[in-house]
Amino acid sequence: MRSRNLVLAMAAALAAASCATVEHMKASMSGAKPAVAYGKPISLAEIASWDIDIRTPDGKGLPPGSGTVAQGKQVYEAKCAACHGADAKGGPQYGTMVGGINSFTTNQRVLTPGSMYPYAPILFDYIRRAMPMDRPQSLTSDEVYAVSAYILYLNGLIPENFVMNAQTMPTIQMPNRNGFILDDRPDVKNERCMRDCKPIRG
């Protein structure tokens, strides 16, 4: 009896979910907003607190703060070396983050921030979002600037006395700045179509 009741309960839940999905699809296709019975409208201020995007070519969105190569070495040794190895030359989890400059023009590419990234602010964005692996977004802005400075120093791209901040970081000339090809395929410029769309292929 118990299993029969369980089956009936599951069937009822599936039917309810199907009805909700159908209603949602109908509303979506008609252009009307589906009714929402939970949550609350979110304000622009609330969205801003989650927005950590950085426009990498010119560094727009980089936060206040700064860091030096020496400070970055300390942060790196405390929070990064266990995975990336001493002097960022590779560790038990990841390969080297040093060297390979200009290797993108050869058949033996070396993937390091110095060799690969076209703009230095990409390094800040990546470290802030993803590092350390077990505690992403736990580093302060000063720590991220400092670690970025240390890694780019090890790659020979900035001097030892460089102070990394929102103003100086976008000025770093990355070796692979012009190494990427813009995506000029026609379909990446299509306008979004949600109704009565032309077929992709005739």
Side-chain angles (χ1 to χ4, degrees):
M1 181 61 82
R2 184 177 177 185
S3 61
R4 181 172 177 271
N5 290 340
L6 180 61
V7 169
L8 290 174
M10 290 177 64
L14 284 172
S18 298
C19 290
T21 301
V22 169
E23 292 304 316
H24 182 85
M25 288 177 62
K26 285 180 181 176
S28 178
M29 293 177 70
S30 71
K33 293 182 179 179
V36 177
Y38 52 86
K40 66 180 181 86
I42 188 167
S43 70
L44 291 178
E46 290 170 317
I47 293 173
S49 68
W50 286 84
D51 183 7
I52 59 172
D53 280 350
I54 295 170
R55 190 167 66 192
T56 55
D58 61 8
K60 182 180 179 182
L62 282 169
S66 66
T68 66
V69 172
Q71 291 166 340
K73 180 177 173 61
Q74 292 179 356
V75 175
Y76 179 88
E77 290 176 348
K79 301 185 179 183
C80 314
C83 293
H84 292 281
D87 301 322
K89 292 179 179 175
Q93 298 294 324
Y94 303 103
T96 184
M97 289 194 293
V98 177
I101 305 297
N102 296 324
S103 65
F104 264 51
T105 60
T106 72
N107 291 330
Q108 296 182 340
R109 297 174 181 172
V110 180
L111 302 179
T112 70
S115 74
M116 183 173 64
Y117 293 174
Y119 306 109
I122 295 173
L123 184 58
F124 184 99
D125 187 60
Y126 182 76
I127 292 172
R128 179 167 68 171
R129 287 180 187 276
M131 295 291 123
M133 183 69 78
D134 61 339
R135 283 163 293 159
Q137 299 188 31
S138 65
L139 298 177
T140 66
S141 294
D142 288 346
E143 289 176 320
V144 178
Y145 278 123
V147 171
S148 299
Y150 180 57
I151 292 172
L152 295 181
Y153 165 73
L154 293 175
N155 278 277
L157 299 176
I158 59 172
E160 191 169 6
N161 61 352
F162 193 90
V163 177
M164 192 77 77
N165 57 42
Q167 288 72 46
T168 60
M169 193 169 207
T171 68
I172 299 169
Q173 294 298 311
M174 301 298 285
N176 200 33
R177 171 168 285 195
N178 299 316
F180 287 80
I181 300 171
L182 291 177
D183 191 346
D184 60 353
R185 292 172 294 180
D187 57 339
V188 302
K189 298 176 182 175
N190 284 347
E191 292 184 15
R192 185 179 184 188
C193 178
M194 301 300 289
R195 184 184 304 171
D196 302 327
C197 304
K198 296 178 182 177
I200 295 175
R201 293 185 176 86

